[in-house]
Amino acid sequence: MTITPPALSVFETLESEVRSYCRGWPAVFDRAQGSRLHDEDGHTYLDFFAGAGSLNYGHNNPVLKRALIDYIERDGITHGLDMATTAKRAFLESFQNVVLRPRDLPYKVMFPGPTGTNAVEAALKLARKVKGRESVVSFTNAFHGMSLGSLAVTGNAFKRAGAGIPLVHGTPMPFDNYFDGQMPDFLWFERLLEDQGSGLNKPAAVIVETVQGEGGINVARAEWLRALQSLCERRDMLLIVDDIQMGCGRTGGFFSFEEAGIVPDIVTLSKSISGYGLPMSLCLFKPELDIWEPGEHNGTFRGNNPAFVTAAAALNAYWADGQMEKQTLARGEQVEQALLAMAAESADPGVSLRGRGLVWGLEFTDPARASAICARAFELGLLLETSGPRSEVVKLLPPLTVSPEELDEGLRILARSVRETA
Amino acid sequence: MTITPPALSVFETLESEVRSYCRGWPAVFDRAQGSRLHDEDGHTYLDFFAGAGSLNYGHNNPVLKRALIDYIERDGITHGLDMATTAKRAFLESFQNVVLRPRDLPYKVMFPGPTGTNAVEAALKLARKVKGRESVVSFTNAFHGMSLGSLAVTGNAFKRAGAGIPLVHGTPMPFDNYFDGQMPDFLWFERLLEDQGSGLNKPAAVIVETVQGEGGINVARAEWLRALQSLCERRDMLLIVDDIQMGCGRTGGFFSFEEAGIVPDIVTLSKSISGYGLPMSLCLFKPELDIWEPGEHNGTFRGNNPAFVTAAAALNAYWADGQMEKQTLARGEQVEQALLAMAAESADPGVSLRGRGLVWGLEFTDPARASAICARAFELGLLLETSGPRSEVVKLLPPLTVSPEELDEGLRILARSVRETA
Amino acid sequence: MTITPPALSVFETLESEVRSYCRGWPAVFDRAQGSRLHDEDGHTYLDFFAGAGSLNYGHNNPVLKRALIDYIERDGITHGLDMATTAKRAFLESFQNVVLRPRDLPYKVMFPGPTGTNAVEAALKLARKVKGRESVVSFTNAFHGMSLGSLAVTGNAFKRAGAGIPLVHGTPMPFDNYFDGQMPDFLWFERLLEDQGSGLNKPAAVIVETVQGEGGINVARAEWLRALQSLCERRDMLLIVDDIQMGCGRTGGFFSFEEAGIVPDIVTLSKSISGYGLPMSLCLFKPELDIWEPGEHNGTFRGNNPAFVTAAAALNAYWADGQMEKQTLARGEQVEQALLAMAAESADPGVSLRGRGLVWGLEFTDPARASAICARAFELGLLLETSGPRSEVVKLLPPLTVSPEELDEGLRILARSVRETA
Amino acid sequence: MTITPPALSVFETLESEVRSYCRGWPAVFDRAQGSRLHDEDGHTYLDFFAGAGSLNYGHNNPVLKRALIDYIERDGITHGLDMATTAKRAFLESFQNVVLRPRDLPYKVMFPGPTGTNAVEAALKLARKVKGRESVVSFTNAFHGMSLGSLAVTGNAFKRAGAGIPLVHGTPMPFDNYFDGQMPDFLWFERLLEDQGSGLNKPAAVIVETVQGEGGINVARAEWLRALQSLCERRDMLLIVDDIQMGCGRTGGFFSFEEAGIVPDIVTLSKSISGYGLPMSLCLFKPELDIWEPGEHNGTFRGNNPAFVTAAAALNAYWADGQMEKQTLARGEQVEQALLAMAAESADPGVSLRGRGLVWGLEFTDPARASAICARAFELGLLLETSGPRSEVVKLLPPLTVSPEELDEGLRILARSVRETA
């Protein structure tokens, strides 16, 4: 494929320097369908990034598209603040029937504003209010968002520096496997809590991702998550699972924590919850935590009703039975096999892989290699991104609806890119 | 009109106690068009709240609706992160040609995430980065959002208490008219800045609304805004105008600060920028302030392309000439006359009114009266909200596209509600 | 007097650059008695600085000296932590009998560590604990100490910058006369407190000096102090009077707030409380505020028993009757008359004076003038310092035990210095 | 010995509830000499607490007493702010000749105010100023003082809670032996620093005690201290050794860090530096760090000249040769042997001991036991205190000048108290 330099002028002259993805993927995208995007010059790209996990059902999924257009055509409420609407009711009923009840999850549902960081801010506020304490424990290489509350529990030093004020009220703890077994799990955390002289400000809550996506595809073991839940119970801290990127089926089950058999106190969802890439987020919590005063946390776009419509359609279409989970695990195995082959083929002993469901990472000792692979893949028509603190991990986040053939096609491009950058 | 108790069950059982508007407006809304909403029981409501200012062009505006459906039908990119897309380009070009160039405004454009509080967080981060200082000055009764950065510069004590941590790094100053002339403008602020012993942490920036919507429809005079800009220049602070609610034509001109002839260093826009009630926001700043590193502030939904489509359509349909501004000012006069009549008719000398363009407030000494008026108006088919620190102000925010007849109808309902609650 | 350059070598080579007074007074002092110091080269200096108010009874006051030597000779406890000692009991009994009872003051007495900033830290901790709130209001040009808690309520920008972290949890309000009558007293403060949308974090306490010594000899009027006390009562804030520099008789009465007829909730004392220049401080508070847990605030040197000995001796020698107060007011008049004459003689209309008791300031529009006067006075054998945010005020703090002749001698040197620097 | 209830009335009625030591030692102390105190009822107590380490040369040491009385008699300057005085010069010269030069230590000397917490506040300010960063790393069970800056790096939860505001800008790390070898030294700290995604705010400095006195007599190994110094150098952090309790010979050498062969960037000294129990403290730092502006940190009592006199006398009397160090190590062995015997004799396998020089701890699994031992010892005429996060350690801090016979006497009382509380 030959790529002619795209006409980026207005982006370069008018848009802020803060833009990033467009730099690695120098194309002007126009249309998309399923696992593929098309740019205005007629090139097609297989998408293994899926809107950073926001497009689990692919681009412009036809089932959701139909529901969305019908809704818009019939002048359904678009902007509903937190008013009761028929679209919101349909979503709530679907969420209850398809997601919560079958899993015996008792959560209340809050619409905190339509972005992930809004959901995290709401979760942190609620935890602090419930416990009457300021401090929150997060983990190394966590990513929870860009507004100040979320940024304070995010690990990335570059993003943190952007705050312009000291980010306090949070303390990092080692994520699972951080020491490759050199230290028993939670030894440090537990000691800090039990020792009245440790100097740790007692936390209101612990916030955790089951798989750290931005942090480098770090997968927490189920037993680690269970031990964490137990620690939170014993030490009177709330457990918040940020399932914004790993929820909605990315790891197999609807929630990424199901596999571990834990029930967090608070859960945040966003990205793929609307199913169609429309802004929407949820904050879920146990009913006894619902001590919010009416209007204590609000936001203009927390009633993005078109998103409720596609969200309900997605739940009904994909989660009424166990097919989606099975399929994701099958596709995941396909990815794992291919990555194992790449690692084996590689001369470099520093190449390693990790993942769960349909989120995988291929790590290189040299970050430049990971970037080079993504750049080469783009030339070959595949969208891939790096992650990790040094951008040393090639991240695979294909749509869950990807076909085995598309998956195979993308994995072959990846393998070729790995080879060609060796 | 007789209202039968709506079936709210799933909202009451599943949704968090944090919900608020749905309590004052106990109906399940289904459809909407222009200035009117319809609930599932067949009642129709005239909307003088307009999504808290997010629906300046009315509900499901047919021009924008057409563009939106066309875009969805043709599988235009929905979720674009910050990738270059044809929809984003079209928006940027329209924004440049229709908004920035005719006003000779030099701004760079940042997409900081699709909600207002995201834009404010980005603005504060940038100001702190540029100036290397933490402190920001805000004003009494300011409202800037619910995430921690924005909340710290928001005045409302109830919302602030929700933070669960002390909100610091901000200092409130008196908004225009705060002392009814008992104190020269900026006397206190200027002394704090010039006195090396004042104890004020030197601010990086000042953040201001030209009309405080949530704060009680407090209208800053043009000369006050000019004096503020001059103070910022003299004292090396950036001036941030939060135009999230008052921008996009609410006060007449596209930006609410145009009338004062000032050019803020940073401007935030959201609410009506997409035109259709879809989540979208912008942070604008002078080019010399664009010192962001790529990716330093990001967010999953900052590329909500359907919103770009309706945003561009709205700019082209309504802002290519000066008609919208003229019409808004005319409608504003119609409101003012009606409110003057209500105040005159009222026995209560404590009733007062204020506003600009199509944002107006009718203040009562007794907050219970304001609430009662909104409740009665709802029964009579008119959506109205209160604002102000004690919810003592009835706020009027009709769509800018409201017809004179609709406006008259709503104002008559309001007048009746005022009378009946006397 | 001819001054030969003193041998400062070890000070210059070994002592930190942070030293300050020694720069303006380049002598090596050896002995002192009453109002006079002697350097090692045989020069004598009249002391109108009195250890920044720590030597109200003059240097090495013979009455206190006798008691001190006797105590040391007989091996009285020197270092007593917070153990009960006979010296501490004698002090407490004297303090109760001579100071508290005659003034009908109900205070409990805390020994918080022997420096002023320790007393302020204890006062702020206690106020925050009692009220369960973080924020404290201080005043423009306040000075309360150099440790982080005290520094956060201190106005001076240069000292604040030394903190190295943002100083938050405090808000400055205008001190009395800050606007020369352009604004009613407490208008701003009261509005901030009553307005639920003001953005002020509700304060636990207000900390104030009745006369700001470091801030430029700013004298609060009695009615202003009474209005402040009333505001604190109405708004549920504790009133802390920092009487470290102005207490122990500096303004006439033992406490500087007596004249206003107020009873603060918390009072800090230090500087002249030991009478002999030995480190000692007290934190006094109403009994109902004494919710400290044993050992919750401690410190190694809070039982500096030699200081208790001189403190008790000073109270018994000088405060058993009203002579000291009368004498101080008489000496104060002597100073005022002399300063009035200097101001009248001065060509400069910008020269003004202010003071109370035996603390006076002579302000110049040009800070360089104030420095030049102090430098010239030093050459002529008089120790004087500047104060104020720009060091524009010549400050007079002679010992309360100064004789009329010594006072006259010093005032004549000052007058000459003023003339010679015109 | 029979103890009659002492007359504590004025302490109970007038002094704040915050008092603590006086509760465990219900006597009114009157005189003291060497290792012994005498109460007003004629009882004598052997002192194994030594003013929490402030009386290394015993109570009212005759050599220092002579110098002190001579100075007072001849009207030497008592209160000198930071003026140059002959007494200060004599101290600086002694400190240079006796302490710094023989150890080849290059430090500049700052007098930051006469208490330990003042010295720590100065050290932290300077480190933050030099590095331009806010965060400081401290260790589990650290104790650095009660003012807000020092308290933020102190571990004790009870003391921290007294702050009344969240203590931030500090992060605790595990002290040496915190995990009994379950984790390699500095593994966690080093990973946090090297991982750009760890979420640790990069520290300006690390503050450490070589032996944690208040924290439970936790002794850092020399190799651990060396590794810490190396880590600080590699990671561009300043190393602050808080030698307030362990300096001035407590562990053998004048500085407690000498044994490890490290040279901290900043050192704090207080407690025994004056030698006589008079308030005094020092902050020492490498010359290149001396970027203080004149007067940037100040304090009323930083020129406590009588303390300079006794300090110089103590240095000259005890540190001109290596006798003191040798003697301390010998006495330490005597303590160790006795404690080993007690532990061996004890039925309880949970009894353990640790120490260095003349600071020792005897730990019990049951904190009530430690308290009971101290109470019994008091009845038997020995002053002892507990330390550690649960007050589970009996702490031995006899004067360095204790005789072998006194030491033996006290150790026998301790052994008896251990037996009788078993």
Side-chain angles (χ1 to χ4, degrees), chain C residues 359-378:
Chain C
V359 50
W360 287 87
L362 194 63
E363 182 176 4
F364 295 86
T365 41
D366 178 10
R369 177 84 182 280
S371 290
I373 289 167
C374 293
R376 183 61 185 136
F378 176 76

Side-chain angles (χ1 to χ4, degrees), chain A residues 20 30 40 78 82 86 89, chain B residues 20 30 40 60 82 86 89:
Chain A
S20 59
D30 184 46
E40 61 178 359
T78 298
D82 68 355
T86 46
R89 183 169 55 204
Chain B
S20 59
D30 184 46
E40 62 177 357
N60 298 324
D82 69 353
T86 47
R89 182 167 56 204

Side-chain angles (χ1 to χ4, degrees), chain C residues 7-8 10-11 13-23 25 27-33 37 40 49 51-52 54-55 59-60 65 68-69 71-79 81-86 88-89 92-93 96 100 107-111 114-115 117-118 121 125 128 133-134 143 146-149 151 158-159 162-166 169 270-271 276-280 285 290 292-298 300-302 304 306 383, chain D residues 7-8 10-11 13-23 25 27-33 37 40 49 51-52 54-55 59-60 65 68-69 71-79 81-86 88-89 92-93 96 100 107-111 114-115 117-118 121 125 128 133-134 143 146-149 151 158-159 162-166 169 270-271 276-280 285 290 292-298 300-302 304 306:
Chain C
L8 282 170
V10 79
F11 302 110
T13 57
L14 193 59
E15 204 181 341
S16 164
E17 294 301 320
V18 81
R19 67 197 191 281
S20 59
Y21 291 111
C22 57
R23 296 170 190 267
W25 301 331
V28 178
F29 296 94
D30 183 46
R31 287 173 309 110
Q33 224 293 321
L37 292 111
E40 62 177 358
F49 191 55
S54 300
L55 296 164
H59 290 269
N60 299 325
K65 175 176 167 178
L68 177 61
I69 289 180
Y71 188 75
I72 298 171
E73 292 279 16
R74 77 166 186 85
D75 283 331
I77 300 287
T78 298
H79 183 280
L81 291 160
D82 67 356
M83 288 143 64
T85 63
T86 47
K88 188 198 265 191
R89 183 169 55 204
L92 283 170
E93 287 173 351
Q96 187 164 49
L100 297 180
Y107 297 130
K108 295 291 284 287
V109 176
M110 174 187 184
F111 300 90
T115 67
T117 197
N118 263 302
E121 295 265 344
K125 277 186 184 180
R128 284 167 168 144
R133 301 194 285 265
E134 295 92 5
F143 184 93
M146 287 292 104
S147 51
L148 285 192
L151 194 51
F158 163 61
K159 306 271 194 218
I165 59 165
H169 304 302
S270 184
K271 293 206 188 263
Y276 205 73
L278 301 175
M280 175 175 170
F285 32 81
D290 191 12
W292 286 112
E293 294 291 320
E296 193 173 359
H297 179 97
N298 58 16
T300 294
F301 294 113
R302 65 201 186 283
N304 186 19
L383 300 188
Chain D
L8 281 170
V10 77
F11 302 111
T13 58
L14 192 59
E15 204 181 341
S16 164
E17 294 300 321
V18 81
R19 66 196 192 281
S20 60
Y21 290 112
C22 57
R23 297 170 189 267
W25 299 333
V28 178
F29 296 95
D30 184 47
R31 286 172 309 110
Q33 225 294 321
L37 292 109
E40 61 178 359
F49 192 55
S54 299
L55 295 164
H59 289 269
N60 299 325
K65 176 176 166 178
L68 177 61
I69 290 179
Y71 188 74
I72 298 171
E73 292 279 17
R74 76 165 186 86
D75 284 330
I77 299 287
T78 298
H79 184 281
L81 291 160
D82 68 355
M83 287 143 64
T85 63
T86 46
K88 189 197 267 191
R89 183 169 55 205
L92 284 170
E93 286 173 352
Q96 188 164 47
L100 297 180
Y107 297 130
K108 294 292 283 288
V109 176
M110 175 188 183
F111 300 89
T115 68
T117 197
N118 263 302
E121 295 264 347
K125 278 185 185 181
R128 286 166 167 145
R133 302 193 286 264
E134 296 92 5
F143 183 92
M146 287 292 105
S147 52
L148 286 191
L151 193 52
F158 163 62
K159 306 270 193 219
I165 59 165
H169 304 302
S270 184
K271 294 204 189 267
Y276 203 73
L278 301 176
M280 176 174 168
F285 33 81
D290 191 12
W292 287 111
E293 294 290 320
E296 193 173 0
H297 179 97
N298 59 16
T300 294
F301 294 113
R302 67 201 185 283
N304 187 19

Side-chain angles (χ1 to χ4, degrees), chain B residues 260-274:
Chain B
I262 64 172
V263 180
D265 298 293
I266 304 180
V267 179
T268 56
L269 281 181
S270 183
K271 294 205 189 265
S272 276
I273 184 65
S274 85

